[in-house]
Amino acid sequence: TIAAPSNVAFPTTWVYDIASDQWHQGNDLPVSIISTEDFEIGPGLLRYDCTAFWVGGNEHTAIFAPTASPQWMNGPDLPAQTVGGNPLPIGVLDGPGTVLVNGNVLFGAGIKVGYSQSSPSWFFKFDGTNINRTSDPPNNVTVTYLTRMLLLPNGDVLFCRCDDDSFYAY
């Protein structure tokens, strides 16, 4: 069992101030986005509306809005996926994500199994309000931490796996 360091409060947030070159404690999130088993999170992406969207290592997400009060808030939860008739919680362990040209966020998530994740990876889009399933690439039969995404100049997203030589464009 991994124990959290005694000085870490999982829902605590921090904000970096460029002008003062200092970190300042932000407001606490109502629900932590850090996986309690392995202390992992998924991608954090700056959207074109100046909000940042963070995907949790558990089923939760967070949004940072610099002009809002509070600045940090929980976003929508990732939808459980059904496998063999059973709804299973999902999360993202060091998984892929990118901001699309329309400002939506595309990311992959997988089933949480204790300290790890199992395949397949499913793909979702966050539109600023909701998280919706989208189509999966054919090579999604792996854990999220073995995958990468890259937004290309033409607006397509290149998706690849570390253990596969095929590439797909979204």
Side-chain angles (χ1 to χ4, degrees), residues 21-42:
D21 190 28
Q22 298 289 317
W23 286 93
H24 302 281
Q25 188 169 346
N27 60 285
D28 287 349
L29 288 171
V31 179
S32 176
I33 64 169
I34 299 172
S35 168
T36 56
E37 294 90 10
D38 46 26
F39 313 116
E40 296 280 352
I41 61 172

PDB file of all heavy atoms in Angstrom, residues 21-42:
ATOM      1  N   ASP A  21       6.980  35.416  -9.657  1.00  0.00           N
ATOM      2  CA  ASP A  21       7.734  34.165  -9.715  1.00  0.00           C
ATOM      3  C   ASP A  21       7.496  33.329  -8.459  1.00  0.00           C
ATOM      4  O   ASP A  21       8.414  32.761  -7.885  1.00  0.00           O
ATOM      5  CB  ASP A  21       9.226  34.446  -9.915  1.00  0.00           C
ATOM      6  CG  ASP A  21      10.024  33.181 -10.230  1.00  0.00           C
ATOM      7  OD1 ASP A  21       9.454  32.230 -10.808  1.00  0.00           O
ATOM      8  OD2 ASP A  21      11.230  33.141  -9.880  1.00  0.00           O
ATOM      9  N   GLN A  22       6.221  33.273  -8.031  1.00  0.00           N
ATOM     10  CA  GLN A  22       5.853  32.580  -6.807  1.00  0.00           C
ATOM     11  C   GLN A  22       4.630  31.695  -7.038  1.00  0.00           C
ATOM     12  O   GLN A  22       3.779  32.016  -7.861  1.00  0.00           O
ATOM     13  CB  GLN A  22       5.497  33.587  -5.699  1.00  0.00           C
ATOM     14  CG  GLN A  22       6.615  34.506  -5.290  1.00  0.00           C
ATOM     15  CD  GLN A  22       7.691  33.788  -4.518  1.00  0.00           C
ATOM     16  OE1 GLN A  22       7.402  32.983  -3.651  1.00  0.00           O
ATOM     17  NE2 GLN A  22       8.948  34.077  -4.831  1.00  0.00           N
ATOM     18  N   TRP A  23       4.577  30.608  -6.271  1.00  0.00           N
ATOM     19  CA  TRP A  23       3.384  29.766  -6.219  1.00  0.00           C
ATOM     20  C   TRP A  23       2.541  30.203  -5.036  1.00  0.00           C
ATOM     21  O   TRP A  23       3.074  30.456  -3.956  1.00  0.00           O
ATOM     22  CB  TRP A  23       3.769  28.298  -6.047  1.00  0.00           C
ATOM     23  CG  TRP A  23       4.330  27.689  -7.297  1.00  0.00           C
ATOM     24  CD1 TRP A  23       5.637  27.600  -7.650  1.00  0.00           C
ATOM     25  CD2 TRP A  23       3.597  27.083  -8.349  1.00  0.00           C
ATOM     26  NE1 TRP A  23       5.767  26.968  -8.860  1.00  0.00           N
ATOM     27  CE2 TRP A  23       4.514  26.638  -9.317  1.00  0.00           C
ATOM     28  CE3 TRP A  23       2.230  26.869  -8.581  1.00  0.00           C
ATOM     29  CZ2 TRP A  23       4.136  26.001 -10.479  1.00  0.00           C
ATOM     30  CZ3 TRP A  23       1.862  26.214  -9.744  1.00  0.00           C
ATOM     31  CH2 TRP A  23       2.806  25.797 -10.680  1.00  0.00           C
ATOM     32  N   HIS A  24       1.220  30.292  -5.237  1.00  0.00           N
ATOM     33  CA  HIS A  24       0.299  30.667  -4.167  1.00  0.00           C
ATOM     34  C   HIS A  24      -0.770  29.595  -4.050  1.00  0.00           C
ATOM     35  O   HIS A  24      -1.260  29.082  -5.067  1.00  0.00           O
ATOM     36  CB  HIS A  24      -0.368  32.019  -4.466  1.00  0.00           C
ATOM     37  CG  HIS A  24       0.614  33.125  -4.645  1.00  0.00           C
ATOM     38  ND1 HIS A  24       1.225  33.754  -3.583  1.00  0.00           N
ATOM     39  CD2 HIS A  24       1.116  33.695  -5.764  1.00  0.00           C
ATOM     40  CE1 HIS A  24       2.047  34.680  -4.046  1.00  0.00           C
ATOM     41  NE2 HIS A  24       2.013  34.658  -5.366  1.00  0.00           N
ATOM     42  N   GLN A  25      -1.139  29.271  -2.827  1.00  0.00           N
ATOM     43  CA  GLN A  25      -2.178  28.269  -2.632  1.00  0.00           C
ATOM     44  C   GLN A  25      -3.506  28.807  -3.137  1.00  0.00           C
ATOM     45  O   GLN A  25      -3.899  29.925  -2.833  1.00  0.00           O
ATOM     46  CB  GLN A  25      -2.294  27.875  -1.163  1.00  0.00           C
ATOM     47  CG  GLN A  25      -3.227  26.702  -0.958  1.00  0.00           C
ATOM     48  CD  GLN A  25      -3.146  26.139   0.449  1.00  0.00           C
ATOM     49  OE1 GLN A  25      -2.237  26.431   1.192  1.00  0.00           O
ATOM     50  NE2 GLN A  25      -4.117  25.321   0.781  1.00  0.00           N
ATOM     51  N   GLY A  26      -4.188  27.980  -3.958  1.00  0.00           N
ATOM     52  CA  GLY A  26      -5.511  28.336  -4.466  1.00  0.00           C
ATOM     53  C   GLY A  26      -6.588  27.739  -3.576  1.00  0.00           C
ATOM     54  O   GLY A  26      -6.308  27.207  -2.496  1.00  0.00           O
ATOM     55  N   ASN A  27      -7.813  27.813  -4.051  1.00  0.00           N
ATOM     56  CA  ASN A  27      -8.912  27.215  -3.298  1.00  0.00           C
ATOM     57  C   ASN A  27      -8.853  25.688  -3.392  1.00  0.00           C
ATOM     58  O   ASN A  27      -8.280  25.139  -4.322  1.00  0.00           O
ATOM     59  CB  ASN A  27     -10.257  27.728  -3.812  1.00  0.00           C
ATOM     60  CG  ASN A  27     -10.483  27.413  -5.279  1.00  0.00           C
ATOM     61  OD1 ASN A  27      -9.899  28.043  -6.159  1.00  0.00           O
ATOM     62  ND2 ASN A  27     -11.337  26.439  -5.560  1.00  0.00           N
ATOM     63  N   ASP A  28      -9.408  25.009  -2.408  1.00  0.00           N
ATOM     64  CA  ASP A  28      -9.470  23.547  -2.428  1.00  0.00           C
ATOM     65  C   ASP A  28     -10.585  23.082  -3.351  1.00  0.00           C
ATOM     66  O   ASP A  28     -11.661  23.684  -3.400  1.00  0.00           O
ATOM     67  CB  ASP A  28      -9.731  22.993  -1.023  1.00  0.00           C
ATOM     68  CG  ASP A  28      -8.525  23.110  -0.115  1.00  0.00           C
ATOM     69  OD1 ASP A  28      -7.427  23.425  -0.617  1.00  0.00           O
ATOM     70  OD2 ASP A  28      -8.680  22.885   1.084  1.00  0.00           O
ATOM     71  N   LEU A  29     -10.317  22.012  -4.098  1.00  0.00           N
ATOM     72  CA  LEU A  29     -11.362  21.384  -4.899  1.00  0.00           C
ATOM     73  C   LEU A  29     -12.291  20.605  -3.977  1.00  0.00           C
ATOM     74  O   LEU A  29     -11.826  19.995  -3.007  1.00  0.00           O
ATOM     75  CB  LEU A  29     -10.756  20.414  -5.915  1.00  0.00           C
ATOM     76  CG  LEU A  29     -10.013  21.026  -7.087  1.00  0.00           C
ATOM     77  CD1 LEU A  29      -9.292  19.939  -7.868  1.00  0.00           C
ATOM     78  CD2 LEU A  29     -10.967  21.782  -7.987  1.00  0.00           C
ATOM     79  N   PRO A  30     -13.591  20.582  -4.267  1.00  0.00           N
ATOM     80  CA  PRO A  30     -14.496  19.765  -3.459  1.00  0.00           C
ATOM     81  C   PRO A  30     -14.151  18.279  -3.519  1.00  0.00           C
ATOM     82  O   PRO A  30     -14.295  17.562  -2.539  1.00  0.00           O
ATOM     83  CB  PRO A  30     -15.869  20.021  -4.066  1.00  0.00           C
ATOM     84  CG  PRO A  30     -15.740  21.301  -4.805  1.00  0.00           C
ATOM     85  CD  PRO A  30     -14.309  21.378  -5.249  1.00  0.00           C
ATOM     86  N   VAL A  31     -13.664  17.799  -4.683  1.00  0.00           N
ATOM     87  CA  VAL A  31     -13.303  16.396  -4.885  1.00  0.00           C
ATOM     88  C   VAL A  31     -11.943  16.358  -5.575  1.00  0.00           C
ATOM     89  O   VAL A  31     -11.720  17.050  -6.559  1.00  0.00           O
ATOM     90  CB  VAL A  31     -14.358  15.671  -5.761  1.00  0.00           C
ATOM     91  CG1 VAL A  31     -13.967  14.221  -5.978  1.00  0.00           C
ATOM     92  CG2 VAL A  31     -15.742  15.768  -5.162  1.00  0.00           C
ATOM     93  N   SER A  32     -11.040  15.539  -5.071  1.00  0.00           N
ATOM     94  CA  SER A  32      -9.700  15.434  -5.639  1.00  0.00           C
ATOM     95  C   SER A  32      -9.731  14.769  -7.018  1.00  0.00           C
ATOM     96  O   SER A  32     -10.531  13.868  -7.267  1.00  0.00           O
ATOM     97  CB  SER A  32      -8.808  14.620  -4.708  1.00  0.00           C
ATOM     98  OG  SER A  32      -7.540  14.428  -5.292  1.00  0.00           O
ATOM     99  N   ILE A  33      -8.819  15.189  -7.898  1.00  0.00           N
ATOM    100  CA  ILE A  33      -8.674  14.546  -9.211  1.00  0.00           C
ATOM    101  C   ILE A  33      -7.478  13.596  -9.229  1.00  0.00           C
ATOM    102  O   ILE A  33      -7.196  12.982 -10.244  1.00  0.00           O
ATOM    103  CB  ILE A  33      -8.546  15.583 -10.345  1.00  0.00           C
ATOM    104  CG1 ILE A  33      -7.270  16.414 -10.193  1.00  0.00           C
ATOM    105  CG2 ILE A  33      -9.785  16.454 -10.423  1.00  0.00           C
ATOM    106  CD1 ILE A  33      -6.931  17.259 -11.400  1.00  0.00           C
ATOM    107  N   ILE A  34      -6.789  13.464  -8.120  1.00  0.00           N
ATOM    108  CA  ILE A  34      -5.609  12.607  -8.047  1.00  0.00           C
ATOM    109  C   ILE A  34      -6.024  11.198  -7.642  1.00  0.00           C
ATOM    110  O   ILE A  34      -6.759  11.014  -6.681  1.00  0.00           O
ATOM    111  CB  ILE A  34      -4.593  13.167  -7.039  1.00  0.00           C
ATOM    112  CG1 ILE A  34      -4.143  14.563  -7.473  1.00  0.00           C
ATOM    113  CG2 ILE A  34      -3.395  12.235  -6.899  1.00  0.00           C
ATOM    114  CD1 ILE A  34      -3.296  15.278  -6.458  1.00  0.00           C
ATOM    115  N   SER A  35      -5.542  10.223  -8.375  1.00  0.00           N
ATOM    116  CA  SER A  35      -5.802   8.824  -8.038  1.00  0.00           C
ATOM    117  C   SER A  35      -5.186   8.524  -6.678  1.00  0.00           C
ATOM    118  O   SER A  35      -3.991   8.750  -6.471  1.00  0.00           O
ATOM    119  CB  SER A  35      -5.192   7.912  -9.101  1.00  0.00           C
ATOM    120  OG  SER A  35      -5.198   6.586  -8.671  1.00  0.00           O
ATOM    121  N   THR A  36      -5.988   8.023  -5.748  1.00  0.00           N
ATOM    122  CA  THR A  36      -5.481   7.753  -4.405  1.00  0.00           C
ATOM    123  C   THR A  36      -4.604   6.509  -4.349  1.00  0.00           C
ATOM    124  O   THR A  36      -3.840   6.346  -3.407  1.00  0.00           O
ATOM    125  CB  THR A  36      -6.635   7.594  -3.396  1.00  0.00           C
ATOM    126  OG1 THR A  36      -7.520   6.572  -3.861  1.00  0.00           O
ATOM    127  CG2 THR A  36      -7.387   8.902  -3.228  1.00  0.00           C
ATOM    128  N   GLU A  37      -4.683   5.638  -5.348  1.00  0.00           N
ATOM    129  CA  GLU A  37      -3.858   4.434  -5.344  1.00  0.00           C
ATOM    130  C   GLU A  37      -2.422   4.719  -5.763  1.00  0.00           C
ATOM    131  O   GLU A  37      -1.476   4.182  -5.212  1.00  0.00           O
ATOM    132  CB  GLU A  37      -4.429   3.353  -6.288  1.00  0.00           C
ATOM    133  CG  GLU A  37      -5.765   2.798  -5.865  1.00  0.00           C
ATOM    134  CD  GLU A  37      -6.920   3.587  -6.453  1.00  0.00           C
ATOM    135  OE1 GLU A  37      -6.702   4.455  -7.333  1.00  0.00           O
ATOM    136  OE2 GLU A  37      -8.053   3.353  -6.033  1.00  0.00           O
ATOM    137  N   ASP A  38      -2.228   5.561  -6.777  1.00  0.00           N
ATOM    138  CA  ASP A  38      -0.894   5.757  -7.325  1.00  0.00           C
ATOM    139  C   ASP A  38      -0.542   7.223  -7.537  1.00  0.00           C
ATOM    140  O   ASP A  38       0.479   7.536  -8.118  1.00  0.00           O
ATOM    141  CB  ASP A  38      -0.751   4.992  -8.641  1.00  0.00           C
ATOM    142  CG  ASP A  38      -1.956   5.202  -9.539  1.00  0.00           C
ATOM    143  OD1 ASP A  38      -2.632   6.239  -9.423  1.00  0.00           O
ATOM    144  OD2 ASP A  38      -2.223   4.323 -10.366  1.00  0.00           O
ATOM    145  N   PHE A  39      -1.395   8.128  -7.083  1.00  0.00           N
ATOM    146  CA  PHE A  39      -1.148   9.568  -7.121  1.00  0.00           C
ATOM    147  C   PHE A  39      -0.921  10.097  -8.538  1.00  0.00           C
ATOM    148  O   PHE A  39      -0.084  10.964  -8.764  1.00  0.00           O
ATOM    149  CB  PHE A  39       0.019   9.949  -6.198  1.00  0.00           C
ATOM    150  CG  PHE A  39      -0.082   9.324  -4.848  1.00  0.00           C
ATOM    151  CD1 PHE A  39       0.866   8.414  -4.420  1.00  0.00           C
ATOM    152  CD2 PHE A  39      -1.144   9.606  -4.013  1.00  0.00           C
ATOM    153  CE1 PHE A  39       0.762   7.813  -3.176  1.00  0.00           C
ATOM    154  CE2 PHE A  39      -1.266   9.010  -2.772  1.00  0.00           C
ATOM    155  CZ  PHE A  39      -0.303   8.111  -2.352  1.00  0.00           C
ATOM    156  N   GLU A  40      -1.666   9.561  -9.500  1.00  0.00           N
ATOM    157  CA  GLU A  40      -1.544   9.955 -10.899  1.00  0.00           C
ATOM    158  C   GLU A  40      -2.704  10.851 -11.316  1.00  0.00           C
ATOM    159  O   GLU A  40      -3.779  10.816 -10.723  1.00  0.00           O
ATOM    160  CB  GLU A  40      -1.556   8.715 -11.807  1.00  0.00           C
ATOM    161  CG  GLU A  40      -0.403   7.782 -11.604  1.00  0.00           C
ATOM    162  CD  GLU A  40       0.867   8.232 -12.294  1.00  0.00           C
ATOM    163  OE1 GLU A  40       0.819   9.204 -13.072  1.00  0.00           O
ATOM    164  OE2 GLU A  40       1.902   7.604 -12.058  1.00  0.00           O
ATOM    165  N   ILE A  41      -2.467  11.638 -12.373  1.00  0.00           N
ATOM    166  CA  ILE A  41      -3.517  12.396 -13.036  1.00  0.00           C
ATOM    167  C   ILE A  41      -3.308  12.251 -14.535  1.00  0.00           C
ATOM    168  O   ILE A  41      -2.304  11.704 -14.989  1.00  0.00           O
ATOM    169  CB  ILE A  41      -3.537  13.890 -12.639  1.00  0.00           C
ATOM    170  CG1 ILE A  41      -2.224  14.578 -13.020  1.00  0.00           C
ATOM    171  CG2 ILE A  41      -3.859  14.060 -11.182  1.00  0.00           C
ATOM    172  CD1 ILE A  41      -2.262  16.073 -12.835  1.00  0.00           C
ATOM    173  N   GLY A  42      -4.258  12.763 -15.288  1.00  0.00           N
ATOM    174  CA  GLY A  42      -4.158  12.752 -16.737  1.00  0.00           C
ATOM    175  C   GLY A  42      -3.687  14.098 -17.251  1.00  0.00           C
ATOM    176  O   GLY A  42      -3.072  14.875 -16.522  1.00  0.00           O
TER     177      GLY A  42
END
